Structures are given as C-alpha cells and as structure tokens.
Amino acid sequence: MSAGPLIAAEGSGNGSARPLLAAESLSKWYGLRAACRDVSFELWPGEVLGVVGESGSGKTTLLQLLSGRLTPCGGRVFYHDGDDVVDVHAASEATRRGLARTQWGMVWQNPSDGLRLGASAGANIGERLMALGQRHYGNIRNTAVDWLRRVEIPEDRIDDPPAAFSGGMRQRLQIARNLVTAPRLVFMDEPTGGLDVSVQAKLLDLIRSLVARMNLAVVLVTHDLAVARLLAHRLMVMQGGRVVEQGLTDRVLDDPLHPYSQLLVSSVPRV
Amino acid sequence: MNRDPQYNFAYLDEQTKRMIRRALLKAVAVPGYQVPFASREMPLPYGWGTGGIQVTASILTDQDTLKVIDQGSDDTTNAVSIRRFFQRTAGVEVTTATDKATVIQTRHRIPEHALAEGQVLVYQVPIPEPLRFMEPRETDTRTMHALEEYGVMHVKLYEDISLHGRIATSYNYPVLVNDRHVMSPSPIPRFDNPKMHMNPALQLFGAGREQRVYAVPPYTSVKSLDFEDHPFSIDTWDEPCALCGASDTYLDEIILDDGGARMFVCSDSDHCSRRQAMAAGMDSDHRAGSPAPAAGTEAA
C-alpha cells in the first residue's frame, strides 16, 4: 500500500494529500463462494489502476463494489468529494446516483450496456448534461459536436443512432458520453474487449491522451496485459477473489513475484 | 333516465369506490405522483376508458351533472356509451354544456370553455408513465421519479429537435407538475397543455389497465418541458373554424370528398354549437335536456 502516495506524487503531480477513492477490506460472498476477499487499496487523483486476472477472479465484482452497483458483505469504500468524504455504500441512493452521473464515469465492455442505442449520438453525449439541468439545445449540441471531434467520430454522424455505428465507434461514443461532465473517476470494464487489434490500438491511444489531459483517475479492469501495460500506472493481480500482488505496472509485469502473476505473465504469447 | 336498481349506485361496489377514493386523496396530496390502485374489471375493454370510468364512478354523487367527451365531441360512440352507462347505473343528470357539468369525463381534450372551481375533469389515460419510452423498467422509472432524475425527458425532446428542427411531440406532451413530478397529461393535444396550468377545476387521471391514478389539484402549476432556445409553443391554424369562425380553438381537419376538399372545424362540439347559436341570435337553452346533435359534429 505504501506505493500508492508515491505514485500519485509522480503520476498526477498535483500534490493532493488525500486519495480519491479508498477501499477497505472489501468482501463479497455468494453463498460459500467468495467473489472478492479482503481487498484494500487507495486510488489517487490522476492515477490509473489496472486490475488484472483471469476470468472469474473477481475483477468485475470488485468494479461493481467500488462503483456502488453491488453491496459488499464486508468492508467499505470511501470517495473524497472535495473536502467531503462519502462512504459509498452507507450514502443514500440519491447521493450515489448523483456521483455516478457527475463525478464518475462507467465504460462497459459492451457499449450497448452504456449507450442509449435508440437515441442519436448527440443525445447520448448530451444526456448527462440534460440530467444536470442544462436546458439550452444549442449549447448541448455544440458540446456534443466538440466531443465527437475529440473522440474522432465524424461530426456528420451526430444524428445517427449508435446502432448504426461500428464497435470501435460505439466504444468511443461511450467514452465521450461519460467524459462530457468532466468526471474525476472512471471505471472501465474491459474497454477494448471484442475490438480488433488496430481499432484497439487507436482506442487505447485515445483513452491514454484523454486520461492524461483531463487528469482522470481510472480503475481499469482487463485480462489483457498489453492494455494494462499501456494504460495503467499501477497493477493489482487478482486470483480467486484475492489480490495476490500489486505494484508499479512495469515492476509487476517485468518481475512478477507471486507464482500466479508469473504464470499470467508467461502465458502471454509473443509475436 | 331512471337508475337501474339491479346495479349498485354507479356500478362499482361501495368498498371499491372507497379504495379508489383513498388512492385519489393520496394523488391530490402529491400532485403528479402516480398512485397504484386495484383496478377492477369493467363491462368494457381496456383502452376504452376503464380508468376514467372507475374514477368517475367513485366520485359521482346523485347530485352531479355529468358530461362525457371523446376527442372534444359529445356524440361519438365512446362518449355516448359512457354517458348512457352512468345514466343507467347512477341515474345522474347528463349534459353537453361544459359550464353546467360538475363532472366531465374526457378523452383527448380539455373543453375550450374555461373550467370553474367545483368542477372535476376526469381524464382517461392509456399510459400513465411519461418515462416509459425512455426507460421501460418500472422499477427504474419509480426510482427516477423518487430522485427527480428527469434528464431523459429532455433527451426525447432533443431528439425531436435534431430530427425535425423543432419539438414535434404534438400530443401527450410531458409536463412538470408543482415543480416536482414529471407527468403524462394523457394524449391531449399540446394545444391544451397551458389550460392545465393553475386551472381552478380538480383534474383527475385514471389508467385502468396500468392501475394508476394521479391528479392535478386546483391552482397547481403545470409546466410543459422545453429548451431555453426552443420554448414550448402551441399549434396554430391558418384558417378559423369553418362553422363558428373561432380562431382560438383546436381544429379538426375534416375530409369532405375524394377530390381533396377539406374543412377545419372546432373539435369541441359544445363550444362550436354554442358559438353558432349565439351568432344566429338564438338563446343557448337549445342544449338543455337530451343532447341534440350539434352542427359541428354532424360535419365530423
């Protein structure tokens, strides 16, 4: 854990004295099966935390616990909202949903989970703004155009529904829709899963530049170590619901200590 | 018409009417909030106004005078059937004159004649949930109402503007009631939306199939949702009513022949015939007693 503050000082450079998100001994049990056991960590502003592990290791469960979508069996999650500390699971649903709409973003592996497929691209980007009370059509549309440009979607597609978009465009649209309110924390669940490698590379490039420019903190769940290597400052390796190893991304990938991490790293085929 | 003694007063049994009245009291206490109620099987199909009929039945007394309109008209099939239903089961007075009625059951219109204190307007509602088309899950829409998360309503209006250049929703136009709940005004034309605002009459809404009632109490603010740069507006017509000459009413387009001839007439048949009678110098008691077919609806 001691690595956290050190990274933040290097990574974000804003000298913030407190973590943005802190998890304390999070656990989630389904009957006798543990999906997540005793997970603790701190995430600092501007930091990208990668969570890697095989399918069923509890990565997605952890993400849902952190974002308040699942209630943990034990442990707590704190979010620092300016000077306020929000206990995510003890807070009211209104607070939680308010955070999810404004300060947090959620990028799903399948863009159709995070998009309104029937509504146009412009409406998808504008939805969060309208939820925050913006009532000027022209401004909303200008913001939507601006964001389409930033995620490299042609502006003339603004009135097309995402149903008419390719997988990569949908994923970029989902990112734009989340970032339009300038959140501080984004949860990403396999953002590049299901995309072909060239589209993946472009998307990774985009995410990396947006994250850096907007000083976003990201919890990035992925099974793809290459994605983790590119985006994450710090890595947590999960197995059977436990965090078996965590540290700087390059350290974990180049010099894995835990046998499972070693297995994971050695399983990547080299081209 | 005398009441058929085989039926309880106004068809429904007393316990059912009490149950609906309790729901209505709650609805009036929380303007725009949809209150669930145990909708009964009625002797007509869902979609023909079972919700409105149950609300009317539960508030009707033998002192009441009932008016029933469908699309603004007093003599369409639905209006005639529902009026006859209450004549037979409740023996109440019926009228077509808006100002003489104490209870008005309506589908698709608010009468042109201004309503007064003491009158009750009962709407038939097919789909009470304004968020339904954006969010099909009932559990989610209830949470959204509870937390006042109404951003998605503007997504719908945004789509209208981006597709048509203006807000093209012309009926069932969503409103914000008492600055708190977004409400479906039932499929009335948006022309009628401003009439709901600060109306002195009590407005009750009944959805039979969906088992919901809601209400707008007298003198409650009702705002139509819009954008700052695309404000809410009502429809206008290029020509006045062909029968009474009114230029401030909601007009129906009537096709006259296969050659494309058409005319625009008031959809509110009572208002139109009253204006015609006044223009003809007649006094207005031609409407007393049984509803005579009005000139406006003969054309319709």
Side-chain angles (χ1 to χ4, degrees):
Chain A
M1 293 315 293
S2 58
L6 200 73
I7 305 302
E10 290 168 5
S12 68
N14 63 1
S16 151
R18 279 198 307 195
L20 191 63
L21 190 77
E24 284 181 4
S25 342
L26 276 182
S27 300
K28 180 70 182 177
W29 294 81
Y30 293 106
L32 292 173
R33 214 174 299 262
C36 196
R37 262 190 262 196
D38 203 27
V39 175
S40 303
F41 70 89
E42 288 176 341
L43 181 73
W44 293 73
E47 184 186 21
V48 180
L49 174 68
V51 182
V52 295
E54 62 193 2
S55 300
S57 59
K59 307 183 300 272
T60 301
T61 301
L62 175 64
L63 200 68
Q64 291 184 321
L65 290 173
L66 294 174
S67 59
R69 280 179 173 74
L70 274 180
T71 309
C73 301
R76 290 192 291 183
V77 177
F78 295 102
Y79 174 74
H80 289 267
D81 176 9
D83 286 335
D84 293 338
V85 183
V86 181
D87 181 336
V88 171
H89 295 282
S92 69
E93 195 180 1
T95 310
R96 218 163 29 233
R97 287 172 74 119
L99 281 177
R101 264 205 311 274
T102 54
Q103 304 204 16
W104 296 355
M106 181 85 211
V107 177
W108 301 92
Q109 172 174 8
N110 187 351
S112 56
D113 292 341
L115 290 172
R116 225 171 254 289
L117 286 187
S120 68
N124 267 290
I125 296 178
E127 178 171 350
R128 272 179 165 229
L129 299 174
M130 293 184 252
L132 289 181
Q134 284 206 22
R135 293 290 177 263
H136 192 285
Y137 174 82
N139 293 350
I140 293 168
R141 197 164 172 88
N142 290 342
T143 311
V145 168
D146 182 43
W147 268 99
L148 284 179
R149 203 177 297 140
R150 284 206 227 180
V151 298
E152 294 159 27
I153 296 174
E155 280 170 44
D156 59 0
R157 304 297 299 269
I158 187 167
D159 291 330
D160 292 351
F165 284 9
S166 70
M169 276 167 78
R170 284 187 201 185
Q171 197 56 284
R172 295 202 295 274
L173 182 64
Q174 194 190 183
I175 288 167
R177 171 184 161 93
N178 273 287
L179 297 190
V180 67
T181 51
R184 301 171 67 204
L185 172 61
V186 180
F187 300 100
M188 294 189 184
D189 190 359
E190 306 273 10
T192 57
L195 300 176
D196 62 56
V197 281
S198 60
V199 176
Q200 224 181 72
K202 221 171 134 186
L203 186 69
L204 285 174
D205 199 39
L206 177 75
I207 294 177
R208 197 158 60 159
S209 66
L210 285 173
V211 163
R213 207 177 311 150
M214 300 178 71
N215 196 29
L216 291 175
V218 179
V219 179
L220 170 78
V221 162
T222 181
H223 63 266
D224 188 334
L225 294 184
V227 170
R229 169 90 81 177
L230 266 171
L231 290 179
H233 301 136
R234 196 152 56 93
L235 269 195
M236 289 202 318
V237 182
M238 287 186 78
Q239 185 198 21
R242 282 182 208 279
V243 174
V244 294
E245 180 168 355
Q246 58 176 313
L248 290 174
T249 303
D250 289 346
R251 206 279 293 149
V252 172
L253 293 182
D254 294 341
D255 181 21
L257 301 181
H258 191 272
Y260 176 72
S261 312
Q262 291 167 359
L263 178 72
L264 204 64
V265 171
S266 64
S267 310
V268 178
R270 306 206 183 264
V271 184
Chain B
M1 192 193 278
N2 284 333
R3 179 157 88 84
D4 185 338
Q6 300 287 322
Y7 290 108
N8 189 40
F9 179 78
Y11 185 79
L12 291 174
D13 62 276
E14 294 305 312
Q15 287 305 317
T16 299
K17 289 195 275 183
R18 286 179 65 182
M19 174 271 292
I20 297 174
R21 285 196 287 259
R22 277 198 295 270
L24 287 172
L25 284 175
K26 186 171 178 183
V28 169
V30 192
Y33 171 72
Q34 301 164 47
V35 183
F37 78 110
S39 179
R40 294 294 190 251
E41 202 71 34
M42 298 301 284
L44 79 168
Y46 287 124
W48 288 25
T50 54
I53 291 175
Q54 289 179 75
V55 170
T56 302
S58 63
I59 61 169
L60 215 54
T61 69
D62 53 9
Q63 304 300 308
D64 274 316
T65 307
L66 179 69
K67 170 183 164 80
V68 183
I69 48 174
D70 176 5
Q71 308 271 12
S73 170
D74 288 279
D75 44 14
T76 50
T77 311
N78 235 10
V80 170
S81 308
I82 294 171
R83 188 163 55 226
R84 202 176 284 153
F85 174 79
F86 282 114
Q87 276 181 302
R88 180 166 169 203
T89 59
V92 290
E93 281 290 311
V94 295
T95 180
T96 61
T98 303
D99 53 350
K100 293 206 175 75
T102 54
V103 176
I104 303 169
Q105 183 173 331
T106 179
R107 167 174 179 260
H108 287 198
R109 279 309 310 277
I110 297 175
E112 304 287 359
H113 191 280
L115 299 174
E117 281 183 28
Q119 288 186 304
V120 183
L121 188 58
V122 178
Y123 297 76
Q124 304 168 192
V125 182
I127 296 172
E129 180 52 74
L131 302 167
R132 174 78 46 89
F133 292 106
M134 300 312 289
E135 176 51 68
R137 277 165 294 212
E138 180 77 14
T139 45
D140 279 25
T141 55
R142 283 193 213 183
T143 310
M144 289 155 82
H145 280 295
L147 301 177
E148 267 185 274
E149 287 181 8
Y150 291 135
V152 288
M153 291 314 294
H154 278 84
V155 172
K156 187 164 173 268
L157 301 180
Y158 172 98
E159 287 288 89
D160 260 13
I161 301 174
S162 64
L163 283 176
H164 307 289
R166 64 195 166 84
I167 299 177
T169 304
S170 57
Y171 68 97
N172 211 351
Y173 192 106
V175 292
L176 181 66
V177 177
N178 202 23
D179 291 322
R180 175 58 182 84
H181 283 96
V182 165
M183 183 188 93
S184 157
S186 86
I188 59 171
R190 68 175 176 186
F191 179 89
D192 285 342
N193 271 19
K195 294 182 194 160
M196 306 180 89
H197 179 64
M198 290 293 165
N199 197 309
L202 170 63
Q203 304 173 70
L204 302 176
F205 299 76
R209 178 174 39 208
E210 303 260 342
Q211 314 199 326
R212 294 286 185 280
V213 290
Y214 50 100
V216 176
Y219 302 110
T220 303
S221 102
V222 177
K223 270 184 262 173
S224 305
L225 302 181
D226 60 2
F227 284 102
E228 288 159 15
D229 47 346
H230 287 266
F232 173 79
S233 63
I234 59 172
D235 311 273
T236 52
W237 287 262
D238 296 334
E239 46 191 291
C241 169
L243 297 174
C244 74
S247 53
D248 58 348
T249 59
Y250 188 80
L251 302 183
D252 285 337
E253 183 180 8
I254 314 289
I255 310 265
L256 296 173
D257 55 27
D258 289 343
R262 58 196 62 208
M263 70 194 286
F264 287 89
V265 298
C266 293
S267 95
D268 187 335
S269 57
D270 169 61
H271 185 75
C272 193
S273 59
R274 174 182 309 210
R275 280 178 53 87
Q276 289 174 67
M278 270 165 61
M282 292 161 55
D283 59 7
S284 60
D285 61 6
H286 73 286
R287 267 175 285 93
S290 65
T297 51
E298 266 177 343

Short mmCIF file of all heavy atoms in Angstrom, two decimals, chain B residues 155-192:
data_model
loop_
_atom_site.label_atom_id
_atom_site.label_comp_id
_atom_site.label_asym_id
_atom_site.label_seq_id
_atom_site.Cartn_x
_atom_site.Cartn_y
_atom_site.Cartn_z
N VAL B 155 -33.92 14.26 -23.30
CA VAL B 155 -33.29 13.51 -24.40
C VAL B 155 -34.32 13.31 -25.51
O VAL B 155 -34.03 13.47 -26.69
CB VAL B 155 -32.77 12.15 -23.89
CG1 VAL B 155 -32.30 11.29 -25.05
CG2 VAL B 155 -31.62 12.37 -22.91
N LYS B 156 -35.54 13.01 -25.11
CA LYS B 156 -36.61 12.80 -26.10
C LYS B 156 -36.88 14.10 -26.88
O LYS B 156 -36.99 14.08 -28.11
CB LYS B 156 -37.87 12.36 -25.36
CG LYS B 156 -39.01 11.95 -26.24
CD LYS B 156 -40.03 11.15 -25.42
CE LYS B 156 -41.28 10.87 -26.22
NZ LYS B 156 -42.31 11.88 -26.03
N LEU B 157 -36.95 15.21 -26.17
CA LEU B 157 -37.19 16.48 -26.84
C LEU B 157 -36.00 16.86 -27.72
O LEU B 157 -36.17 17.38 -28.83
CB LEU B 157 -37.46 17.59 -25.82
CG LEU B 157 -38.67 17.35 -24.91
CD1 LEU B 157 -38.85 18.51 -23.95
CD2 LEU B 157 -39.94 17.15 -25.71
N TYR B 158 -34.78 16.56 -27.24
CA TYR B 158 -33.57 16.82 -28.03
C TYR B 158 -33.66 16.07 -29.35
O TYR B 158 -33.38 16.63 -30.42
CB TYR B 158 -32.33 16.37 -27.24
CG TYR B 158 -31.05 16.43 -28.06
CD1 TYR B 158 -30.19 17.50 -27.96
CD2 TYR B 158 -30.72 15.39 -28.94
CE1 TYR B 158 -29.03 17.56 -28.73
CE2 TYR B 158 -29.58 15.45 -29.71
CZ TYR B 158 -28.74 16.53 -29.60
OH TYR B 158 -27.61 16.58 -30.37
N GLU B 159 -34.07 14.82 -29.29
CA GLU B 159 -34.18 14.01 -30.49
C GLU B 159 -35.18 14.62 -31.47
O GLU B 159 -34.94 14.66 -32.67
CB GLU B 159 -34.67 12.59 -30.11
CG GLU B 159 -33.61 11.77 -29.45
CD GLU B 159 -32.53 11.35 -30.42
OE1 GLU B 159 -31.57 12.13 -30.56
OE2 GLU B 159 -32.63 10.30 -31.04
N ASP B 160 -36.28 15.13 -30.92
CA ASP B 160 -37.28 15.80 -31.75
C ASP B 160 -36.65 16.95 -32.53
O ASP B 160 -36.83 17.07 -33.74
CB ASP B 160 -38.38 16.38 -30.85
CG ASP B 160 -39.60 15.48 -30.83
OD1 ASP B 160 -39.46 14.33 -31.29
OD2 ASP B 160 -40.65 15.92 -30.36
N ILE B 161 -35.91 17.78 -31.81
CA ILE B 161 -35.35 18.97 -32.46
C ILE B 161 -34.30 18.57 -33.49
O ILE B 161 -34.26 19.09 -34.60
CB ILE B 161 -34.74 19.93 -31.42
CG1 ILE B 161 -35.80 20.36 -30.41
CG2 ILE B 161 -34.16 21.17 -32.09
CD1 ILE B 161 -35.28 21.18 -29.27
N SER B 162 -33.45 17.57 -33.13
CA SER B 162 -32.38 17.22 -34.06
C SER B 162 -32.97 16.55 -35.31
O SER B 162 -32.39 16.66 -36.38
CB SER B 162 -31.33 16.34 -33.38
OG SER B 162 -31.88 15.12 -33.00
N LEU B 163 -34.10 15.88 -35.17
CA LEU B 163 -34.70 15.22 -36.33
C LEU B 163 -35.58 16.16 -37.13
O LEU B 163 -35.58 16.14 -38.35
CB LEU B 163 -35.54 14.01 -35.89
CG LEU B 163 -34.77 12.76 -35.50
CD1 LEU B 163 -35.73 11.69 -35.00
CD2 LEU B 163 -33.98 12.22 -36.68
N HIS B 164 -36.37 17.00 -36.43
CA HIS B 164 -37.40 17.79 -37.13
C HIS B 164 -37.13 19.29 -37.09
O HIS B 164 -37.89 20.06 -37.67
CB HIS B 164 -38.77 17.52 -36.52
CG HIS B 164 -39.12 16.06 -36.45
ND1 HIS B 164 -39.41 15.31 -37.56
CD2 HIS B 164 -39.20 15.21 -35.40
CE1 HIS B 164 -39.66 14.06 -37.20
NE2 HIS B 164 -39.53 13.97 -35.90
N GLY B 165 -36.12 19.70 -36.35
CA GLY B 165 -35.83 21.13 -36.27
C GLY B 165 -36.70 21.86 -35.26
O GLY B 165 -36.55 23.05 -35.05
N ARG B 166 -37.61 21.13 -34.64
CA ARG B 166 -38.47 21.74 -33.62
C ARG B 166 -39.00 20.60 -32.77
O ARG B 166 -38.84 19.43 -33.12
CB ARG B 166 -39.64 22.49 -34.27
CG ARG B 166 -40.55 21.56 -35.01
CD ARG B 166 -41.50 22.25 -35.96
NE ARG B 166 -42.06 21.24 -36.85
CZ ARG B 166 -43.10 20.47 -36.54
NH1 ARG B 166 -43.71 20.61 -35.39
NH2 ARG B 166 -43.53 19.56 -37.39
N ILE B 167 -39.63 20.92 -31.65
CA ILE B 167 -40.21 19.87 -30.82
C ILE B 167 -41.47 19.38 -31.50
O ILE B 167 -42.45 20.11 -31.62
CB ILE B 167 -40.49 20.38 -29.40
CG1 ILE B 167 -39.19 20.83 -28.73
CG2 ILE B 167 -41.16 19.29 -28.57
CD1 ILE B 167 -39.36 21.41 -27.35
N ALA B 168 -41.42 18.15 -32.02
CA ALA B 168 -42.52 17.67 -32.85
C ALA B 168 -43.56 16.91 -32.04
O ALA B 168 -44.59 16.52 -32.58
CB ALA B 168 -41.96 16.78 -33.96
N THR B 169 -43.30 16.68 -30.77
CA THR B 169 -44.30 16.00 -29.94
C THR B 169 -45.55 16.87 -29.89
O THR B 169 -45.50 18.00 -29.42
CB THR B 169 -43.75 15.79 -28.51
OG1 THR B 169 -42.53 15.08 -28.60
CG2 THR B 169 -44.74 15.02 -27.66
N SER B 170 -46.66 16.35 -30.43
CA SER B 170 -47.83 17.22 -30.55
C SER B 170 -48.95 16.81 -29.61
O SER B 170 -49.88 17.56 -29.39
CB SER B 170 -48.34 17.20 -31.99
OG SER B 170 -48.64 15.87 -32.35
N TYR B 171 -48.86 15.63 -29.03
CA TYR B 171 -49.85 15.25 -28.03
C TYR B 171 -49.12 14.47 -26.95
O TYR B 171 -47.97 14.04 -27.15
CB TYR B 171 -50.96 14.41 -28.65
CG TYR B 171 -50.51 13.05 -29.11
CD1 TYR B 171 -50.69 11.93 -28.31
CD2 TYR B 171 -49.87 12.90 -30.33
CE1 TYR B 171 -50.24 10.68 -28.71
CE2 TYR B 171 -49.43 11.66 -30.74
CZ TYR B 171 -49.61 10.56 -29.93
OH TYR B 171 -49.14 9.33 -30.33
N ASN B 172 -49.78 14.30 -25.79
CA ASN B 172 -49.14 13.62 -24.67
C ASN B 172 -47.80 14.29 -24.36
O ASN B 172 -46.80 13.63 -24.09
CB ASN B 172 -48.94 12.14 -24.99
CG ASN B 172 -49.00 11.30 -23.72
OD1 ASN B 172 -49.03 11.83 -22.61
ND2 ASN B 172 -49.04 10.00 -23.88
N TYR B 173 -47.79 15.60 -24.40
CA TYR B 173 -46.57 16.37 -24.22
C TYR B 173 -46.23 16.44 -22.73
O TYR B 173 -47.04 16.92 -21.94
CB TYR B 173 -46.79 17.77 -24.79
CG TYR B 173 -45.54 18.59 -24.94
CD1 TYR B 173 -44.99 18.81 -26.18
CD2 TYR B 173 -44.92 19.14 -23.82
CE1 TYR B 173 -43.83 19.55 -26.32
CE2 TYR B 173 -43.76 19.88 -23.95
CZ TYR B 173 -43.23 20.09 -25.20
OH TYR B 173 -42.09 20.82 -25.33
N PRO B 174 -45.05 15.96 -22.32
CA PRO B 174 -44.77 15.83 -20.88
C PRO B 174 -44.76 17.17 -20.14
O PRO B 174 -44.32 18.19 -20.68
CB PRO B 174 -43.37 15.18 -20.85
CG PRO B 174 -42.78 15.48 -22.18
CD PRO B 174 -43.91 15.54 -23.15
N VAL B 175 -45.25 17.14 -18.92
CA VAL B 175 -45.33 18.35 -18.10
C VAL B 175 -44.69 18.11 -16.74
O VAL B 175 -44.59 16.97 -16.28
CB VAL B 175 -46.79 18.80 -17.89
CG1 VAL B 175 -47.41 19.27 -19.18
CG2 VAL B 175 -47.62 17.69 -17.26
N LEU B 176 -44.25 19.19 -16.13
CA LEU B 176 -43.73 19.15 -14.77
C LEU B 176 -44.80 19.75 -13.86
O LEU B 176 -45.21 20.90 -14.03
CB LEU B 176 -42.43 19.95 -14.66
CG LEU B 176 -41.76 19.95 -13.30
CD1 LEU B 176 -41.27 18.57 -12.92
CD2 LEU B 176 -40.60 20.94 -13.27
N VAL B 177 -45.29 18.93 -12.91
CA VAL B 177 -46.40 19.36 -12.07
C VAL B 177 -45.87 19.82 -10.71
O VAL B 177 -45.07 19.12 -10.08
CB VAL B 177 -47.40 18.19 -11.87
CG1 VAL B 177 -48.52 18.60 -10.94
CG2 VAL B 177 -47.97 17.77 -13.21
N ASN B 178 -46.32 20.98 -10.29
CA ASN B 178 -45.97 21.52 -8.98
C ASN B 178 -44.46 21.56 -8.77
O ASN B 178 -43.97 21.36 -7.67
CB ASN B 178 -46.62 20.64 -7.89
CG ASN B 178 -46.78 21.38 -6.58
OD1 ASN B 178 -46.82 22.61 -6.56
ND2 ASN B 178 -46.83 20.64 -5.48
N ASP B 179 -43.70 21.76 -9.84
CA ASP B 179 -42.24 21.81 -9.80
C ASP B 179 -41.60 20.56 -9.21
O ASP B 179 -40.49 20.61 -8.68
CB ASP B 179 -41.76 23.04 -9.00
CG ASP B 179 -42.07 24.32 -9.72
OD1 ASP B 179 -41.95 24.34 -10.96
OD2 ASP B 179 -42.47 25.30 -9.05
N ARG B 180 -42.29 19.43 -9.30
CA ARG B 180 -41.72 18.23 -8.69
C ARG B 180 -41.82 16.98 -9.59
O ARG B 180 -40.81 16.39 -9.91
CB ARG B 180 -42.41 17.97 -7.34
CG ARG B 180 -42.00 16.69 -6.67
CD ARG B 180 -40.49 16.66 -6.43
NE ARG B 180 -40.07 15.40 -5.81
CZ ARG B 180 -39.83 14.29 -6.48
NH1 ARG B 180 -39.97 14.25 -7.79
NH2 ARG B 180 -39.44 13.19 -5.85
N HIS B 181 -43.04 16.60 -9.97
CA HIS B 181 -43.19 15.35 -10.71
C HIS B 181 -43.41 15.60 -12.21
O HIS B 181 -44.24 16.43 -12.58
CB HIS B 181 -44.37 14.54 -10.17
CG HIS B 181 -44.07 13.84 -8.88
ND1 HIS B 181 -44.38 14.38 -7.66
CD2 HIS B 181 -43.45 12.67 -8.63
CE1 HIS B 181 -43.97 13.55 -6.71
NE2 HIS B 181 -43.41 12.51 -7.27
N VAL B 182 -42.68 14.86 -13.03
CA VAL B 182 -42.98 14.87 -14.45
C VAL B 182 -44.16 13.94 -14.68
O VAL B 182 -44.22 12.84 -14.13
CB VAL B 182 -41.76 14.43 -15.29
CG1 VAL B 182 -42.18 14.09 -16.71
CG2 VAL B 182 -40.73 15.54 -15.32
N MET B 183 -45.13 14.41 -15.45
CA MET B 183 -46.39 13.70 -15.58
C MET B 183 -46.81 13.63 -17.04
O MET B 183 -46.55 14.54 -17.81
CB MET B 183 -47.45 14.47 -14.77
CG MET B 183 -48.81 13.85 -14.74
SD MET B 183 -50.01 14.97 -13.97
CE MET B 183 -50.65 15.80 -15.43
N SER B 184 -47.45 12.53 -17.39
CA SER B 184 -48.05 12.42 -18.71
C SER B 184 -49.44 13.04 -18.64
O SER B 184 -50.25 12.64 -17.82
CB SER B 184 -48.15 10.95 -19.11
OG SER B 184 -49.15 10.80 -20.09
N PRO B 185 -49.74 14.01 -19.50
CA PRO B 185 -51.05 14.66 -19.42
C PRO B 185 -52.13 13.84 -20.12
O PRO B 185 -53.20 14.38 -20.36
CB PRO B 185 -50.81 15.99 -20.12
CG PRO B 185 -49.75 15.70 -21.10
CD PRO B 185 -48.91 14.59 -20.57
N SER B 186 -51.87 12.57 -20.44
CA SER B 186 -52.74 11.73 -21.26
C SER B 186 -52.71 12.30 -22.68
O SER B 186 -52.23 13.41 -22.88
CB SER B 186 -54.17 11.65 -20.70
OG SER B 186 -54.96 12.74 -21.14
N PRO B 187 -53.22 11.57 -23.65
CA PRO B 187 -52.99 12.04 -25.03
C PRO B 187 -53.82 13.27 -25.43
O PRO B 187 -54.48 13.26 -26.46
CB PRO B 187 -53.37 10.83 -25.88
CG PRO B 187 -53.50 9.71 -24.95
CD PRO B 187 -53.86 10.27 -23.63
N ILE B 188 -53.79 14.32 -24.65
CA ILE B 188 -54.43 15.56 -25.09
C ILE B 188 -53.45 16.26 -26.03
O ILE B 188 -52.24 16.07 -25.93
CB ILE B 188 -54.78 16.49 -23.91
CG1 ILE B 188 -53.53 16.86 -23.11
CG2 ILE B 188 -55.82 15.86 -23.02
CD1 ILE B 188 -53.76 17.94 -22.08
N PRO B 189 -53.93 17.06 -26.98
CA PRO B 189 -53.00 17.81 -27.83
C PRO B 189 -52.24 18.82 -26.98
O PRO B 189 -52.75 19.27 -25.95
CB PRO B 189 -53.92 18.51 -28.83
CG PRO B 189 -55.25 18.56 -28.18
CD PRO B 189 -55.34 17.37 -27.29
N ARG B 190 -51.01 19.15 -27.41
CA ARG B 190 -50.25 20.09 -26.59
C ARG B 190 -50.91 21.46 -26.57
O ARG B 190 -50.62 22.28 -25.71
CB ARG B 190 -48.82 20.18 -27.06
CG ARG B 190 -48.62 20.83 -28.40
CD ARG B 190 -47.14 20.95 -28.67
NE ARG B 190 -46.90 21.50 -30.00
CZ ARG B 190 -45.71 21.60 -30.54
NH1 ARG B 190 -44.65 21.17 -29.88
NH2 ARG B 190 -45.56 22.10 -31.73
N PHE B 191 -51.83 21.69 -27.50
CA PHE B 191 -52.65 22.90 -27.52
C PHE B 191 -53.34 23.08 -26.16
O PHE B 191 -53.55 24.21 -25.70
CB PHE B 191 -53.70 22.77 -28.63
CG PHE B 191 -54.62 23.95 -28.75
CD1 PHE B 191 -54.29 25.02 -29.57
CD2 PHE B 191 -55.83 23.97 -28.07
CE1 PHE B 191 -55.15 26.10 -29.68
CE2 PHE B 191 -56.69 25.05 -28.18
CZ PHE B 191 -56.35 26.12 -28.99
N ASP B 192 -53.69 21.95 -25.52
CA ASP B 192 -54.44 22.02 -24.26
C ASP B 192 -53.54 22.10 -23.03
O ASP B 192 -54.02 22.37 -21.93
CB ASP B 192 -55.34 20.79 -24.12
CG ASP B 192 -56.56 20.88 -25.02
OD1 ASP B 192 -56.89 22.00 -25.46
OD2 ASP B 192 -57.20 19.85 -25.26
#
